Amino acid sequence: MDFNDLKNQFYTLYGSANETPRMFFAPGRVNLIGEHTDYNGGFVLPCALQYGTYLLIRPNQEYEIRLASTNMTFRADFPVSEIPQKIAGEWTNYPMGIFDQFLQMKIPLSGFDMLFSGDIPNSAGLSSSASIEMVTAYALTVMLNTTRMEMIDLINMSKRAENEFVGLNCGIMDMFAVGMGKKDYAIFLNCNTLEYKKVSFVLNGFKLIIINTNRKRGLADSKYNERVAECQLAVNYLNQLAPISKLSEISFMQFYKIQEQIPDELIRRRARHVISENQRVLNAVSALLKGDILQFGALMNASHESLRDNYEVTGFELDNLVEEAQKINGVIGARMTGAGFGGCTVNIVRDNAVDAFIEQVGREYHAKTGLIADFYIGEPSDGVREIT
Ligand code: GLA
């Protein structure tokens, strides 16, 4: 990121080079394992990335909020007291959702000029949206001196903004990883109690490689909300035998015994994914603590299989990338990451196999799909912060 260039763009947009804006950064995240478990009260294991969203922000005296981005042409200006309705498909819904939360909480706002700039791919399952929400929430609390807000409040607020304003019934994983991320660590989170532990994730001799399918995620939000509803249906069936409010409340052994209670085969598979994935996260954390990276990789592979066959959120491009990756000697584990329906895969690859991996997987993927995949090396990084 070229900070001087970013500042110059800010001055071109908003004028007056005499008053310097402050700069904030929120990372994106990659989820290592524990997919579609968060809204079921389960376990997840994400880490924050070195990529994310930068925000330059400066107060104005006009009681206006002005939102612009170096990545998108769409801009929004509105008075602080009147947040406009959401505009379908526009990035501005994420900061607007945060302003809406501030108004709902009756926190007095003043005017701000804001310029966002992301180096993380959008709609790729790496939480570009949570990163925009969290950078906005964090920057506002600093700029407004809102001392009553802790990091966990910002995380909860960003989740509410996404659920209420944007309309995605997501869980808390993304905001939590963006807020609590730590360099060299993954975040092992219990989404029911919000208790978490940092688990060291330093890969000696291996790389964490993220691959973007570059497939547009059409209808992803409605499909996501459909999965959330299917899990609720599974809870309703199981509830007749065991009083539960979330799928994560039963173990895989229990589920095995009572699964026939769910008459609908599709709903049973959805539940099977969530409950088995929850167990995989626990096993993956024990594997990491023992330094057993091979076992960790095997669990990643099993996670993908379940997301493909039971939860049905992968699709041709993600399956192809994972299949091609798994063919290569030196690949320890490969799976889709994030919501699915397009987006990215996450892979653990031996250092000496990285070049062949990028070359071969890229070539085969292009031959089978006509798309060009992008490769990134992921580094577990710190959470949201001001950059001075
Ligand atoms: C998206 C959501 C998260 C989580 C993942 C799937 O990233 O925002 O809350 O549900 O999908 O694990």
Side-chain angles (χ1 to χ4, degrees), residues 29 31 34-39 127 168 170-174 224 338-339:
R29 66 97 189 90
N31 189 20
E35 218 65 86
H36 289 278
T37 47
D38 63 349
Y39 52 84
S127 293
L168 186 77
C170 68
I172 203 160
M173 165 172 71
D174 302 349
Y224 183 96

Side-chain angles (χ1 to χ4, degrees), residues 118-191:
D119 61 2
I120 188 166
N122 292 322
S123 304
L126 302 179
S127 293
S128 55
S129 45
S131 142
I132 299 177
E133 286 154 356
M134 285 294 289
V135 82
T136 308
Y138 186 85
L140 285 182
T141 50
V142 174
M143 300 297 285
L144 295 166
N145 230 334
T146 319
T147 45
R148 65 182 222 229
M149 300 277 244
E150 306 273 346
M151 187 59 81
I152 190 68
D153 300 319
L154 302 184
I155 290 168
N156 281 318
M157 181 206 275
S158 295
K159 177 174 180 290
R160 284 198 305 274
E162 184 89 35
N163 295 160
E164 295 166 13
F165 196 87
V166 181
L168 186 77
N169 297 328
C170 68
I172 203 160
M173 165 172 71
D174 302 349
M175 298 78 191
F176 204 95
V178 170
M180 302 294 194
K182 197 93 207 118
K183 186 171 158 39
D184 295 333
Y185 285 89
I187 306 292
F188 171 39
L189 169 68
N190 176 335
C191 298

